[in-house]
Amino acid sequence: MADIFSPSKRTEIMKNIRTKDTGCELVVRKMIYAMGYRYRLNKRNLPGKPDIVFGVRKKVIFVNGCFWHGHSRCSRGKLPESNASFWQKKITGNVVRDGKILRSLKKLGWKSLVVWQCQTSPKGDSKLKRRIERFLEK
Ligand SMILES: [Zn+2]
């Protein structure tokens, strides 16, 4: 099925969603920095260019937008009702790609943690903090 929006309108919609994703990535980065950990961003030589990279620990964190990465059983991951097959195909493709990336990283000896957009909050979240701490210290 063809997209119901014109290409320029579609680009605009996608850009808006992407910007929101970047916002929650920033929240997580600030939280990690405040916890005293230092990291690198988007290391290009790693599969999937992980958002946050802890080189010495060989660990990476991905901050995934619920919509784009198809967070299952999440209200933000719900597909729009109009043009459903277009979205289904697009998001399923992303989920498959994400799975491949995590497997490739594992093969290279890197541990990954996925933080979902819906698990972040601008005020900071103690549950997420503990989860990140456990991940980095284990
Ligand atoms: Zn979610």
Side-chain angles (χ1 to χ4, degrees):
M1 199 213 273
D3 195 353
I4 51 163
F5 294 109
S6 68
S8 63
K9 181 72 187 162
R10 170 64 61 208
T11 305
E12 196 192 312
I13 293 170
M14 293 194 173
K15 221 168 96 190
N16 282 338
I17 300 176
R18 287 232 168 90
T19 311
K20 269 184 219 146
D21 288 0
T22 313
C24 68
E25 191 197 314
L26 212 73
V27 165
V28 174
R29 264 161 40 193
K30 276 191 189 150
M31 179 195 272
I32 293 170
Y33 193 86
M35 286 161 73
Y37 295 107
R38 297 298 172 259
Y39 50 81
R40 281 171 190 274
L41 301 175
N42 303 92
K43 225 175 159 208
R44 281 173 206 288
N45 57 351
L46 285 177
K49 293 191 208 117
D51 299 316
I52 303 167
V53 179
F54 303 88
V56 179
R57 297 167 196 264
K58 277 197 111 174
K59 287 173 183 175
V60 300
I61 294 178
F62 289 95
V63 183
N64 282 354
C66 297
F67 180 77
W68 285 107
H69 297 270
H71 195 194
S72 58
R73 293 185 299 274
C74 168
S75 61
R76 294 192 210 197
K78 221 174 145 229
L79 293 175
E81 277 170 30
S82 66
N83 220 12
S85 66
F86 167 85
W87 288 112
Q88 187 76 54
K89 212 173 134 200
K90 175 110 193 138
I91 303 299
T92 305
N94 288 349
V95 171
V96 169
R97 200 194 53 208
D98 287 346
K100 275 189 196 149
I101 289 168
L102 293 183
R103 281 194 296 278
S104 313
L105 283 165
K106 203 175 164 188
K107 267 188 207 152
L108 294 169
W110 288 77
K111 290 196 169 71
S112 314
L113 176 75
V114 174
V115 173
W116 291 96
Q117 177 188 12
C118 62
Q119 296 162 341
T120 68
S121 110
K123 281 175 258 150
D125 182 287
S126 54
K127 220 167 104 188
L128 178 61
K129 227 179 247 180
R130 280 199 301 277
R131 218 177 117 213
I132 290 172
E133 208 165 47
R134 271 204 306 274
F135 170 70
L136 290 176
E137 296 302 334
K138 86 182 162 199

